[in-house]
Amino acid sequence: MIAPFMGFFIVDGLKQAPWTISIYAGALSCLAIAINRQFAQRIDRGKSAFPLIGVALGGYLLANLTLSIVPALWTVLTFGVVGFGISTSAVSTMFNLGSGLAEQHQIERSRLNAFMRATTSTAWMVGPAVSFVIADQIGKVGVFRCGLLLGLVWLVLWWWVKPQNAKAKPKEGALEKREGGRVNPGLWLAATFVFCLSSAHSLTFSTLPLFYVQEVGLPGYAPGLAFTVKTFVEVFAIFSTPLLMARFGLRKPLLATTLLAVIAIQFLASVQTFPQMLAGAAMEGLYYGLYASLGISFVQSYAEDRPARATAIYWNTLMISGVLAGPAVGIIAQAYGFRTVLHVASAVAVFAAAVLLLGARQSRMLASSQS
C-alpha cells in the first residue's frame, strides 16, 4: 500500500515538485540497503529473525502514526524515511526466515520461495489499488491510518503466529571465511544478472502508464487494468517454477525467461489497441513471474555459507534498480519519448542474457579446472 503511494502523496498531496521524490527514495533506499546488510549478517550468525521483524514492524508503525498526525514534507523526509526504510527489511528477513524453516522441516527451498513470491505478488495486486481507492474516497491521510491498522494486524501475527525460535543454522567455517573477505564471483555475476533484468522491468513498469495514456491514447483506467492482468498471470507463473527447476535446472529456464522478456517488452512497445495492451500485460506477467521466483533461487544457489547475505543482496539489487529507473525514464522520455524507453529496456534485457551466458561459461571453466 505504501511504496507506490508515497510519490503520489509527495507531489499531489503535499504539492511538492516531482524531484522531491528522488530525495525521499534515495534516502530510504540507502537506509534500507544498510539495514538489510546488517540484519543478514546477524541471521547468518544464527541469530533469531523474530526480533528483527519486530524492529521492522516498529519502524512501519512509527512512520504511519507520525504521517497520520502530521502529514508534512518534513515528517516524510524524517520519520517516513527512517520508519519505512527500516520496515523494508521485513521482506528480506522473511525470505531468510523461510529458508531457515525450509531447512528445519526438510521442505524444498524452491517451493517455499515460489510460495512466498506468489503471496508477495498477490499483495502487490491488492495493495496499490486499495491505497488509491482510500485516497480518493477518504483522503490521502487515510492511507496512512489504514496502514497503521494493518500494522496492528501485523503486530498480532508477529507475536502469535510467527515462529519465535526460527533461525538459520550457521555453517562450519562461516566466521573464518567472513573474516577472510573471500570474493564470490558467481554470487556477484548472479547479482549483476538480477540487476540487469530488474532494471529492464523497472524501466518498463515506470514507463507503461504514461506510454499507454499519452502516446497510445488509451483511457485513464487502462494502466490499472493492465497491472491487474500482469500480477494475476504472475502468480500462476511463479507456482510453475519449482517444476521447471526440477526438470531443467536454473540456467536454462532463466535464459528462456530473459529471451521472453526481450520479446514481451518489444511487443509492449508496439501496442496500439486495448486488446494488445491486455495481451502484452499477460506476457509481462508471465516473464516476470518466472524471473521473480527463478532469480532469487539463482542468487541463493551461490550463497555458500551465507544464505541470508545472498538473499539480502537479491532484494537490495531489486531496490537499487527500481530507484535508478525513475531518473532514467525521465531523461530518456524527455529526449526521445516513452516508446524509446521500452526499446532501451529491451536492450537491457538482452544484456542480462549476455551476463547469464558469461556466468555459465565461467562455471564450466571452473568445473573443468577443478576436474
Side-chain angles (χ1 to χ4, degrees), residues 1 44 53 68 129 137-138 155 166 218 228 246 279 297-298 304 307 310 317 328 369:
M1 286 184 62
D44 278 333
I53 296 174
S68 296
Q137 298 296 320
I138 301 177
L155 174 63
L218 297 176
T228 300
S297 296
F298 184 53
E304 295 182 347
T317 301
S369 64

Side-chain angles (χ1 to χ4, degrees), residues 80-295:
V81 167
V82 173
F84 291 136
I86 293 173
S87 70
T88 304
S89 67
V91 180
S92 177
T93 303
M94 285 298 298
F95 272 81
N96 285 322
L97 171 65
S99 297
L101 290 174
E103 183 178 351
Q104 288 180 17
H105 298 283
Q106 297 182 340
I107 302 171
E108 188 180 357
R109 188 168 64 178
S110 61
R111 287 180 55 203
L112 196 56
N113 276 342
F115 184 81
M116 296 185 75
R117 284 289 336 200
T119 54
T120 304
S121 296
T122 304
W124 274 99
M125 185 165 55
V126 176
V130 170
S131 64
F132 282 100
V133 168
I134 292 173
D136 183 61
Q137 298 296 320
I138 301 177
K140 298 176 181 63
V141 178
V143 175
F144 301 114
R145 292 172 181 167
C146 183
L148 184 61
L149 293 176
L150 286 175
L152 296 176
V153 175
W154 179 3
L155 174 63
V156 172
L157 293 172
W158 169 69
W159 187 255
W160 292 104
V161 177
K162 200 202 77 61
Q164 298 191 20
N165 59 349
K167 60 183 70 174
K169 184 178 179 181
K171 306 296 187 294
E172 294 184 6
L175 184 59
E176 290 78 3
K177 291 181 181 178
R178 183 181 298 113
E179 291 175 347
R182 184 169 59 85
V183 177
N184 185 342
L187 175 61
W188 290 110
L189 265 175
T192 302
F193 163 76
V194 167
F195 173 77
C196 292
L197 198 52
S198 294
S199 296
H201 174 261
S202 297
L203 288 168
T204 306
F205 179 80
S206 302
T207 302
L208 284 176
L210 293 168
F211 171 67
Y212 287 148
V213 175
Q214 294 188 10
E215 293 191 7
V216 180
L218 297 176
Y221 63 83
L225 183 59
F227 184 75
T228 300
V229 171
K230 170 189 176 289
T231 50
F232 180 77
V233 175
E234 187 178 307
V235 170
F236 290 96
I238 289 171
F239 278 125
S240 71
T241 54
L243 296 175
L244 290 174
M245 283 187 277
R247 179 78 182 266
F248 302 105
L250 273 170
R251 288 189 183 275
K252 290 181 180 178
L254 268 176
L255 182 58
T257 299
T258 307
L259 296 178
L260 176 61
V262 175
I263 296 170
I265 297 172
Q266 285 292 342
F267 181 86
L268 289 167
S270 66
V271 165
Q272 296 292 334
T273 65
F274 198 85
Q276 289 176 351
M277 181 201 73
L278 296 179
M283 293 175 65
E284 184 186 13
L286 177 60
Y287 97 74
Y288 190 72
L290 293 172
Y291 159 67
S293 188
L294 292 169

